[in-house]
């Protein structure tokens, strides 16, 4: 879409400058920046580096990653080689790749939402401030980094689909549908988006708007592109018979009233993987707007806003009640319901919430000058609060990237051990195994989406007595097991024990014989183990560094 006025040009330049300022800490601070740990530093960023070093970037669908869990982790667990994000981390240092990924995602998110509002949801130059402001707010949401454009790319895809649906499709729309699958995930967003598009097409048919074959073919086209790009996922999901760790994941465990509470929690606060920061300054104008619609009987003029308002509620209900324990017998009977997370339809919510926000501000603006000023202030305040959710602010108490991966200290550990890393196996206590993996060590422990179930059961024998002493951790490992960690009853689900901790591990009971049988020789412990000898472990050296968040007690098996 062409820029139609100098005012529009100024607004767009201003918005892009805000994004630049927002991202500047990543490029200025580099490894000294603070970024998200959960499902980021503790996993994905290390996975990309492991994959790049493995020599299996283009490995077959039956290939494995030698560095992790004795070479039993499928190459397919690290995603497709046709994803741009994989190549960013293969070609650039970690924080350069991270910064480029963030910039690419947020700029595409901005233009996608802007074009969607300008063309389809909120047309008209008089709404330029709301169009640009809402698009900028959407682009500044603290999205899950490795999700890429899985959620933030939805407005751009919807813009393209609606163009095609309306008979206005051009090569630009098909280019969007072609390129997005290379920087998004079908399981982390676009499966749910594409099924929603399919539902829209079916609804059009029932409303006698015609079959619209171009719209249908566009949906099929993008689906096929995704399936080709994500061929490893399709192969693993449909063609691999070997039981994996997800086979013991039964999500349906919540009683009815816990689900009701989860509805409100999700609706009001959102979800960690699709954070929208909508509670304070988005929900109030939305509630006011729906009140005005009902009071003044504006539902015919504001059909789209009413639809988005209801859809937002339904998505939270769907998310929460997907975990209702009443579904468990059905999930056990139809295995794919247990292994695929259909609750993620709520990943549509960021687009729904921010599009609804723009329409709510429009409704408020139409009520008069006073309301128009109020609407603008809601938008400004939303932008300000999103600025306060910058990673460098909210993760200030977490380790920096440099402190987290502690490359210098782990190089010292490698030099002290003085053996080729492929000749021995390690595991960690009190820190994420991703730290050791990032530094090239071969680990028996890991955090991965799926791995052989037989390995999970074998690994469990190492921590069997510790699990028996802690019901919460036992349930966490047995009912999910994505974190195949050396859990201890004392630490529970705490695996970021910093070097200033005064704790000691007491009464530790590991099956070191199983650990050694699996090739384990060293344990990187964040805490001293008081009964190390009883666990057939010998403390050989303690490592500490100014640039590390951890103190590592290096134990060797006896």
């Amino acid at each position: 879409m062409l820029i139609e006025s100098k005012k529009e040009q100024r607004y767009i330049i201003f918005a892009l400058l805000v994004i630049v300022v927002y991202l500047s800490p990543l490029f200025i601070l580099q490894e000294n920046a603070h970024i998200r740990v959960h499902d980021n530093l503790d996993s994905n960023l290390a996975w990309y580096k492991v994959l790049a070093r493995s020599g299996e970037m283009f490995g077959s669908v039956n290939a494995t990653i030698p560095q992790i869990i004795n070479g039993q982790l499928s190459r397919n667990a690290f995603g497709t080689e046709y994803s741009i994000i994989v190549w960013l981390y293969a070609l650039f240092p970690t924080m350069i790749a991270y910064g480029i990924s963030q910039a690419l995602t947020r700029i595409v998110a901005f233009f996608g939402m802007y074009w969607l509002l300008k063309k389809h949801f909120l047309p008209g130059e008089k709404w330029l401030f709301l169009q640009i402001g809402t698009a900028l707010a959407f682009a500044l949401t603290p999205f899950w980094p490795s999700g890429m454009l899985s959620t933030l790319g939805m407005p751009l895809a919807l813009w393209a689909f609606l163009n095609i649906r309306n008979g206005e499709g051009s090569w630009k729309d098909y280019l969007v549908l072609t390129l997005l699958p290379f920087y998004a995930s079908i399981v982390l967003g676009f499966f749910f988006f594409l099924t929603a598009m399919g539902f829209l097409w079916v609804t059009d048919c029932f409303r006698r708007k015609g079959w619209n074959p171009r719209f249908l073919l566009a949906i099929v086209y993008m689906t096929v592109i995704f399936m080709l790009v994500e061929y490893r996922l399709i192969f693993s999901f449909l063609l691999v018979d070997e039981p994996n760790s997800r086979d013991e994941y039964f999500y349906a465990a919540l009683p009815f009233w816990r689900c009701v509470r989860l509805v409100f929690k999700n609706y009001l606060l959102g979800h960690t993987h699709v954070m929208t920061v909508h509670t304070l300054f988005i929900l109030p104008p939305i509630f006011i707007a729906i009140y005005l619609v009902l009071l003044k009987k504006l539902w015919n003029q504001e059909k789209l806003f009413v639809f988005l308002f209801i859809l937002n509620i339904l998505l939270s209900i769907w998310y929460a009640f997907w975990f209702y324990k009443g579904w468990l017998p059905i999930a056990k009977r139809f295995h794919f319901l247990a292994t695929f997370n259909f609750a993620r339809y709520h990943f549509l919510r960021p687009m729904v919430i921010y599009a609804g926000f723009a329409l709510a501000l429009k409704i408020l603006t139409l009520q008069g000058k006073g309301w128009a000023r109020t609407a603008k202030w809601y938008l400004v305040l939303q932008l300000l609060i999103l600025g306060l959710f910058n990673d460098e602010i909210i993760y200030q108490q977490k380790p920096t990237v440099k402190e987290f991966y502690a490359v210098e200290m782990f190089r010292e550990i490698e030099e002290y051990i003085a053996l080729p890393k492929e000749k021995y196996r390690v595991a960690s206590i009190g820190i994420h195994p991703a730290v050791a993996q990032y530094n090239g060590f071969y680990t028996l422990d890991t955090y991965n989406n799926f791995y052989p179930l037989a390995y999970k059961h074998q690994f469990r024998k190492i921590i069997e007595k510790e699990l028996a002493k802690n019901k919460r951790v036992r349930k966490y490992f047995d009912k999910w097991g994505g974190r195949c960690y050396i859990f201890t009853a004392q630490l529970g689900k705490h695996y970021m024990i910093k070097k200033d901790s005064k704790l000691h591990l007491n009464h530790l009971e590991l099956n070191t014989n199983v650990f050694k049988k699996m090739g384990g020789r060293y344990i990187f412990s964040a805490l001293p183990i008081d009964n190390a000898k009883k666990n057939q472990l010998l403390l050989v050296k303690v490592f500490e560094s100014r640039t590390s968040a951890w103190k590592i007690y290096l134990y060797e098996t006896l």
Side-chain angles (χ1 to χ4, degrees):
M1 294 179 70
L2 296 176
I3 296 175
E4 297 172 359
S5 68
K6 288 186 177 181
K7 184 179 180 182
E8 181 183 12
Q9 184 181 47
R10 288 196 302 271
Y11 276 27
I12 290 174
I13 291 173
F14 175 78
L16 293 177
L17 286 174
V18 170
I19 293 175
V20 168
V21 172
Y22 186 89
L23 295 175
S24 61
L26 297 177
F27 293 97
I28 295 170
L29 298 174
Q30 294 285 296
E31 288 190 329
N32 293 313
H34 296 83
I35 63 174
R36 177 185 175 122
V37 173
H38 176 62
D39 284 351
N40 195 37
L41 284 173
D42 69 352
S43 48
N44 293 76
L45 299 198
W47 298 347
Y48 299 137
K49 287 301 181 184
V50 170
L51 177 60
R53 285 194 302 256
S54 70
E56 295 293 345
M57 182 74 82
F58 292 98
S60 76
V61 290
N62 297 309
T64 59
I65 303 297
Q67 189 185 332
I68 298 179
I69 61 173
N70 278 334
Q72 294 188 46
L73 183 70
S74 171
R75 161 64 186 87
N76 302 335
F78 282 166
T80 176
E81 62 271 33
Y82 298 118
S83 174
I84 295 172
I85 197 169
V86 167
W87 284 101
L88 286 177
Y89 286 91
L91 297 174
F92 297 102
T94 296
M95 287 310 293
I96 294 293
Y98 191 84
I100 293 172
S101 177
Q102 284 275 316
L104 178 60
T105 303
R106 294 187 186 281
I107 289 170
V108 172
F110 168 73
F111 281 108
M113 179 59 81
Y114 173 54
W115 292 341
L116 177 65
L117 294 175
K118 180 181 177 181
K119 180 70 182 289
H120 298 289
F121 284 13
L122 195 60
E125 189 176 357
K126 67 177 180 178
W127 304 117
L128 182 60
F129 182 82
L130 299 186
Q131 295 164 356
I132 295 287
T134 304
L136 177 58
F138 179 73
L140 296 182
T141 54
F143 70 101
W144 178 47
S146 291
M148 304 166 285
L149 289 169
S150 301
T151 53
L152 267 65
M154 287 182 186
L156 182 61
L158 183 57
W159 168 78
F161 274 122
L162 292 179
N163 290 340
I164 295 169
R165 176 179 178 244
N166 295 341
E168 302 170 347
S170 70
W171 65 269
K172 296 175 186 177
D173 303 302
Y174 290 98
L175 182 64
V176 165
L177 302 187
T178 303
L179 294 180
L180 274 174
F182 292 91
Y183 206 64
S185 166
I186 194 166
V187 297
L188 297 173
F190 268 88
F191 171 85
F192 313 101
F193 176 84
L194 287 169
T195 54
M197 291 299 97
F199 184 77
L200 177 60
W201 178 81
V202 171
T203 303
D204 284 347
C205 292
F206 278 104
R207 293 168 66 188
R208 298 183 180 179
K209 290 191 174 183
W211 288 92
N212 203 340
R214 287 185 180 180
F215 183 31
L216 175 61
L217 288 174
I219 298 169
V220 173
Y221 173 73
M222 192 178 198
T223 303
V224 170
I225 296 295
F226 260 115
M227 292 181 72
L228 291 174
V229 170
E230 303 260 22
Y231 74 99
R232 292 184 182 276
L233 176 70
I234 304 300
F235 177 87
S236 299
F237 190 71
L238 298 179
L239 300 176
V240 175
D241 295 326
E242 179 187 21
N244 65 70
S245 56
R246 295 187 72 86
D247 292 335
E248 290 187 336
Y249 171 52
F250 291 107
Y251 57 86
L254 296 183
F256 179 84
W257 289 110
R258 282 281 302 278
C259 291
V260 172
R261 189 171 71 179
L262 187 57
V263 170
F264 286 97
K265 180 181 178 182
N266 182 257
Y267 182 80
L268 294 173
L269 302 177
H271 186 276
T272 182
H273 286 138
V274 282
M275 288 183 67
T276 45
V277 195
H278 63 276
T279 312
L280 292 178
F281 301 120
I282 290 182
L283 284 181
I286 285 178
F287 288 147
I288 295 169
I290 198 68
Y291 171 76
L292 291 170
V293 167
L294 295 175
L295 180 68
K296 300 187 177 184
K297 300 180 180 179
L298 301 173
W299 41 78
N300 283 327
Q301 300 96 304
E302 303 296 345
K303 286 180 182 178
L304 180 57
F305 171 71
V306 173
F307 169 74
L308 293 175
F309 180 84
I310 295 171
L311 178 61
N312 188 26
I313 296 171
L314 292 178
L315 289 171
S316 287
I317 293 172
W318 173 274
Y319 164 75
F321 276 89
W322 184 254
F323 300 101
Y324 177 51
K325 65 181 181 181
W327 306 129
L328 188 58
I330 300 173
K332 287 184 175 180
R333 183 173 181 181
F334 299 100
H335 185 60
F336 72 94
L337 293 176
T339 56
F340 189 84
N341 191 353
F342 286 95
R344 286 178 176 158
Y345 273 100
H346 77 102
F347 278 22
L348 295 168
R349 291 190 70 223
M351 177 177 66
V352 170
I353 288 171
Y354 276 85
F357 180 45
L359 295 176
L361 296 181
K362 181 203 76 170
I363 293 170
L364 265 61
T365 301
L366 292 174
Q367 306 311 306
K369 289 184 179 180
W371 279 109
R373 285 194 296 270
T374 301
K376 288 182 179 180
W377 271 111
Y378 273 125
L379 185 48
V380 170
L381 289 170
Q382 180 62 21
L383 289 168
L384 290 174
I385 196 171
L386 285 168
L388 295 176
F389 270 77
N390 186 289
D391 282 3
E392 195 57 41
I393 296 174
I394 61 173
Y395 297 120
Q396 187 62 224
Q397 300 306 312
K398 301 292 184 182
T400 64
V401 176
K402 188 174 188 176
E403 291 170 336
F404 186 89
Y405 287 128
V407 172
E408 293 178 10
M409 187 177 74
F410 276 87
R411 189 179 297 120
E412 291 179 22
I413 296 173
E414 177 189 355
E415 291 171 355
Y416 178 82
I417 293 174
L419 291 170
K421 283 188 262 191
E422 65 271 15
K423 297 296 184 181
Y424 59 92
R425 301 293 181 266
V426 306
S428 301
I429 297 177
I431 62 169
H432 294 284
V435 177
Q437 290 170 359
Y438 187 90
N439 286 287
F441 289 93
Y442 284 57
T443 68
L444 294 178
D445 49 350
T446 193
Y447 174 20
N448 284 103
N449 296 323
F450 68 93
Y451 58 93
L453 186 61
Y455 186 88
K456 177 185 175 183
H457 291 165
Q458 184 185 19
F459 188 90
R460 191 188 191 282
K461 295 175 183 177
I462 299 174
I463 54 175
E464 189 171 29
K465 291 183 179 179
E466 291 297 308
L467 295 182
K469 293 185 285 186
N470 189 315
K471 181 180 178 181
R472 183 168 179 248
V473 174
R474 182 171 69 251
K475 183 179 178 181
Y476 184 64
F477 183 84
D478 289 345
K479 298 298 184 183
W480 181 51
R483 294 190 190 271
C484 188
Y485 286 16
I486 293 192
F487 288 107
T488 70
Q490 182 180 343
L491 297 181
K493 291 167 63 177
H494 297 284
Y495 11 79
M496 280 187 56
I497 309 299
K498 294 184 181 180
K499 61 186 176 185
D500 58 356
S501 174
K502 304 301 181 185
L503 289 174
H504 285 229
L505 279 171
N506 305 307
H507 313 300
L508 183 67
E509 294 181 274
L510 300 180
N511 191 329
T512 316
N513 290 328
V514 175
F515 179 71
K516 289 192 289 186
K517 187 178 179 180
M518 295 172 70
R521 182 167 177 178
Y522 295 101
I523 284 181
F524 299 156
S525 178
L527 296 171
I529 301 172
D530 288 349
N531 61 338
K533 191 173 182 179
K534 187 177 179 181
N535 286 276
Q536 302 175 54
L537 296 172
L538 175 68
L539 178 64
V540 292
K541 191 172 175 60
V542 180
F543 294 86
E544 190 172 2
S545 169
R546 181 178 56 84
T547 59
S548 169
W550 331 109
K551 179 187 288 186
I552 296 298
Y553 297 82
L554 179 64
Y555 288 91
E556 186 174 5
T557 56
L558 295 172

